[in-house]
Amino acid sequence: MNYSSYDLKIKFPLLFLIITFACLACRTDQAERKPISKVSTLAGLSEKFGEPFGVAERGGEVFASDGEAGVIRKIAADGASSVFSSGHHTPSQIVFDANGDLLVADSGTHTIKRIKPGGEIETIAGVENSSGFQNGDARTALFNAPVGIAVFENKIFVADTYNDAIRVIENGNVSTVAGGTQGFAEGIGAAAKFDTPCGIAAASDGKIIVADTGNRRLRLIEANGSVSTLAGNGNSVLKDGFLFEAELVQPTAVAINKSGEIFFADGNAIRVIRRVVLPFIETISGTDRGFADGSMRAARFNRPSGLAIGESGNLYVADSENQVLRVFAGETIGKEISMEESRKLRHAAEEFRRLAPPRWTYDPPEARRDIAGTLGELRGEVDGRNKPVWFHNGLDIAGNYGETARFIRDEKVLKPIAAENFNTLRELVRMPTIGYIHIRLGRDKNNLVFNDRRFQFSFDEARKPKGVRIPRGSRFAAGEAIGTLNAFNHVHLIAGRAGAEMNALDALILPNISDAVTPFIEKVSLFGEDWREIETSPKDARITLSGKTRIVVRAFDQMDGNNSRRRLGVYRLGYQILRADETPLGETLWTISFERMPDERAAKFVYAMGSKSGYTPETVFNYIASNRVDGDRFGEDFFDAGQMENGEYVLRVFAADFFGNIASKDTSFEVKK
């Protein structure tokens, strides 16, 4: 394999001919393999995973590590799974060696373990529950939450993730192949630099491919320890193309098939480097976060973390945040899950509330705090200039500048890069079920670091912190300090797993919270299908409707104790049509719900022109109440007066908060066709 030796100066007409001939040359190889064409779900439907992470296949049997539960599961052909090995802390990548033993990188104990076919566990490198960076005898060598592991002949290669190094275990000793310093640099041995390397795979010629996660690159290590970049330039954009032009989001896992194709999990997508004269990166799945089986181009994943190539050429994927094991194959293996079935796999709010006792994210834990923002609120401004707008995905809980923020439940870090946006107003840590934003992680209001080894800082030449990582497997208890509030003066609290966020008012029990304030409906406006506002008739001040009508409701909510200037988003909106005597023509249509986080693409279906919030001095929520938005279901809709008989009617719109307070506003209209 010589992916690092291509000539970038080749002219494009010649390039086209070379690729054409290369593709023709590859046809025989492709024909011999069963081509993958669809995605299905293999395991995690009946026996649920906490967090599938690593995956391996041998002799037709599939194994997957569960980082949350601390077990290795064995999956039968029908998708039923059983515990093959337990007692691990946070197992990550797994791989079989030539003897049929399963090797495990146990991030939480900083060790590499071997599991015999009978289930016996042996620590082969590292010291249990001791982190560090030390070579030598494997029994005393130290690692720092290793995530990746690969085998070539009698060598075991390890992505020592938070030491930013690639290590090798050979003949009972540990040595460093490359790296050891966080950063980015090509070079040989210690001269090379990595940033949080996670996935690792060995090619048939002994070269090592590394998913250099923090650097957003794939790296190539030669037998002499020379490190070069295989793909990526550090930009966090998903872009296909030749290796010198393709861009990566955040690669985490790598697998190589018998034909030399390199598959890798990148952000929420699965991608591949095809083996042609000039290797080409192609995305073979969808790119949006979510859950979808079927055609592989439309398939959606949520933080895929582990990949493995089966003996028949199938590609197995540990779909971590969706908590299932998926497979790319030429036929349906396991089950093809519908969208409705995938929704049932998520936590219900009632179940989520039982995971931990109630408390606020400050001390004292039972003291009520002011709510400053709710799920589903607009962030940005809808002004017709195509500026980005998005949904607020959590609950803002007000505090004081520099106040200590605290975890609200016991959890351990699972996402390899869980801390992000260092030293910005959006600094955050993402735990498995809760996210915390707007916090100086692991340091006080003067930027002095806590005496807590779980927060691993890097420093500049002046010894000021310039970055922080919280290794996979780090455990925190409810009430322990996360850090301190920055200038936003609140904790943005996210409830639910990434991609399945819930309204925190529903998913959490916050002590002593109450809301007796009814939402406010300021204005109801009607528009035609072409977005021209429907005015009242100048003769009789009556609105006349004859066809498809858009209903826009300007509304907001408040809670007990809130400052009168603070406007919150509402929980649900809907409408009902009544006769002139106010007898209903049908049930209330609740069209917009913020029980769960809406699909990120749905913001334009919720908020009409003039809406603005979050970064503007004024807050305006103009809800398009005739559209339908509920979680990942969304679309344009209308009230169609053309389907009604001529006559006089009443449009009654509703705005409800989570606590059951409902406001309504009536608008009289006449249908005349």
Side-chain angles (χ1 to χ4, degrees), residues 64-378:
S65 65
D66 187 331
E68 184 173 282
V71 302
I72 311 297
R73 302 193 74 89
K74 180 179 177 180
I75 294 91
D78 62 359
S81 67
S82 57
V83 174
F84 170 68
S85 177
S86 61
H88 305 279
H89 187 293
T90 312
S92 297
Q93 193 168 353
I94 58 178
V95 67
F96 281 99
D97 66 14
N99 299 320
D101 297 335
L102 187 64
L103 305 178
V104 183
D106 191 359
S107 306
T109 60
H110 314 286
T111 59
I112 306 301
K113 292 183 167 64
R114 173 184 286 127
I115 307 174
K116 292 290 186 180
E120 303 87 355
I121 302 173
E122 174 191 5
T123 299
I124 60 173
V127 178
E128 199 84 6
N129 300 316
S130 295
S131 64
F133 193 177
Q134 181 174 306
N135 288 322
D137 189 313
R139 295 169 297 181
T140 58
L142 297 177
F143 298 85
N144 189 1
V147 168
I149 189 168
V151 171
F152 181 73
E153 296 178 344
N154 64 336
K155 298 178 181 179
I156 302 171
F157 292 90
V158 177
D160 192 3
T161 303
Y162 303 95
N163 279 327
D164 304 292
I166 307 304
R167 318 277 291 280
V168 63
I169 307 167
E170 185 178 15
N171 299 324
N173 283 281
V174 175
S175 59
T176 300
V177 176
T181 303
Q182 185 180 9
F184 172 75
E186 315 282 39
I188 298 176
K193 293 181 181 180
F194 298 89
D195 185 348
T196 325
C198 289
I200 186 171
S204 59
D205 59 2
K207 294 177 182 178
I208 303 300
I209 307 296
V210 180
D212 193 0
T213 308
N215 279 322
R216 302 183 176 93
R217 292 172 167 93
L218 291 182
R219 312 290 290 281
L220 177 67
I221 305 178
E222 307 282 351
N224 67 349
S226 176
V227 178
S228 60
T229 295
L230 180 61
N233 58 13
N235 292 335
S236 59
V237 177
L238 192 147
K239 177 183 176 183
D240 287 347
F242 298 110
L243 297 189
F244 58 85
E245 64 182 356
E247 298 182 1
L248 281 56
V249 175
Q250 196 174 81
T252 55
V254 187
I256 307 172
N257 69 10
K258 295 176 182 178
S259 300
E261 294 175 324
I262 302 172
F263 294 85
F264 61 102
D266 188 18
N268 296 308
I270 308 300
R271 309 177 73 184
V272 63
I273 301 178
R274 299 292 187 191
R275 193 175 186 183
V276 294
V277 174
L278 287 186
F280 188 91
I281 290 184
E282 176 186 358
T283 301
I284 63 171
S285 72
T287 58
D288 293 328
R289 181 176 67 181
F291 193 136
D293 279 337
S295 166
M296 68 180 189
R297 302 286 179 179
R300 297 173 70 181
F301 295 84
N302 191 354
R303 188 168 69 85
S305 300
L307 301 177
I309 304 293
E311 293 179 0
S312 61
N314 296 332
L315 175 65
Y316 298 94
V317 182
D319 193 3
S320 295
E321 294 295 354
N322 281 328
Q323 299 178 276
V324 292
L325 186 65
R326 316 275 291 283
V327 59
F328 286 77
E331 58 187 2
T332 300
I333 299 174
K335 185 177 181 181
E336 197 170 296
I337 301 299
S338 69
M339 186 69 72
E340 194 61 40
E341 288 173 308
S342 72
R343 294 187 187 106
K344 296 177 181 178
L345 298 177
R346 304 170 183 165
H347 274 119
E350 295 81 5
E351 180 185 4
F352 196 83
R353 288 195 294 266
R354 292 195 296 268
L355 295 178
R359 67 158 291 145
W360 291 85
T361 188
Y362 309 103
D363 276 345
E366 72 284 350
R368 185 192 183 282
R369 294 297 184 107
D370 195 10
I371 301 299
T374 59
L375 183 140
E377 292 180 4
L378 176 78

Side-chain angles (χ1 to χ4, degrees), residues 399-404 425 440 444-447 484-490:
N400 301 310
Y401 178 78
E403 185 175 4
T404 299
L425 290 175
R440 294 184 196 84
D444 66 16
K445 65 180 180 181
N446 297 315
N447 218 31
T484 53
L485 297 190
N486 63 28
F488 271 4
N489 298 329
H490 67 259

